[in-house]
Amino acid sequence: MGTAESDRATRVDAAWPDEASGDGRTFTIAELSDEFGVTHRTIRFYEDRGLVTPERMGTRRVYHPRDRVRLALVLRGKRLGFDLAEIARIVDMYDQAPGEEGQLRYLLEQIERRRAELEQRRRDIDQTLAELDVVERRCREALDAVGGATERR
């Protein structure tokens, strides 16, 4: 993971301690953008998809702690490779029956599925790298043979 991605992951993870904060603090789009290392456009995109629902005060968006947590969940889900539909289902389950338990069970199922996909990709990559090693070795041997034949002439 690159430095920028690592920094973003740290910022996303840092959102968790204040998750249940009822202190009434609100956030601007600029504050959330800076905190999570994403663009305003990204946050508005998630708003268009209903993943965050800021309050409107005229033309200004006012984000509440719930929006901040939901944004952190969305960004974490993206980092883990979930698509937006899966993320939306996980995030929305928290507010619906069966609530947190159902959300956690579903998330565990999705983690298991995602892990299996990544492990298959790893096997595919390992196989591809092994095949590249074979082709590279053959190319080098052929090049040596051609080079050797040219030198002999």
Side-chain angles (χ1 to χ4, degrees):
M1 183 180 307
T3 303
E5 289 176 7
S6 178
D7 290 346
R8 187 175 307 120
T10 301
R11 287 189 293 252
V12 169
D13 292 341
W16 293 96
D18 295 334
E19 177 177 349
S21 175
D23 63 6
R25 176 159 186 231
T26 60
F27 308 90
T28 65
I29 195 169
E31 289 172 323
L32 292 179
S33 175
D34 289 345
E35 179 179 353
F36 293 111
V38 297
T39 64
H40 294 201
R41 183 176 178 188
T42 297
I43 296 172
R44 287 191 300 270
F45 175 81
Y46 294 143
E47 179 185 348
D48 290 342
R49 299 299 182 278
L51 295 166
V52 293
T53 54
E55 181 181 350
R56 293 289 193 141
M57 293 187 160
T59 59
R60 207 171 66 107
R61 292 170 170 87
V62 178
Y63 295 86
H64 295 277
R66 178 180 184 274
D67 296 308
R68 181 175 172 264
V69 170
R70 288 176 68 94
L71 180 59
L73 289 169
V74 169
L75 295 173
R76 177 179 276 179
K78 290 299 290 176
R79 192 176 81 237
L80 293 174
F82 294 111
D83 65 39
L84 284 180
E86 292 168 323
I87 293 168
R89 181 167 180 199
I90 292 166
V91 171
D92 290 343
M93 286 178 78
Y94 188 77
D95 296 330
Q96 303 167 359
E100 187 175 9
E101 180 182 348
Q103 179 191 37
L104 293 172
R105 289 185 189 285
Y106 179 77
L107 181 56
L108 286 172
E109 291 170 10
Q110 296 307 306
I111 288 169
E112 184 178 322
R113 185 182 61 76
R114 182 70 181 139
R115 180 171 282 133
E117 289 172 2
L118 290 171
E119 287 170 352
Q120 181 60 53
R121 282 189 191 172
R122 180 186 294 164
R123 288 189 295 274
D124 293 344
I125 289 169
D126 289 343
Q127 180 179 356
T128 302
L129 288 171
E131 291 171 6
L132 286 171
D133 289 343
V134 169
V135 171
E136 179 184 26
R137 182 178 45 77
R138 288 181 182 164
C139 286
R140 291 191 186 283
E141 288 170 357
L143 188 59
D144 287 344
V146 169
T150 304
E151 290 174 14
R152 283 184 240 140
R153 290 186 186 170

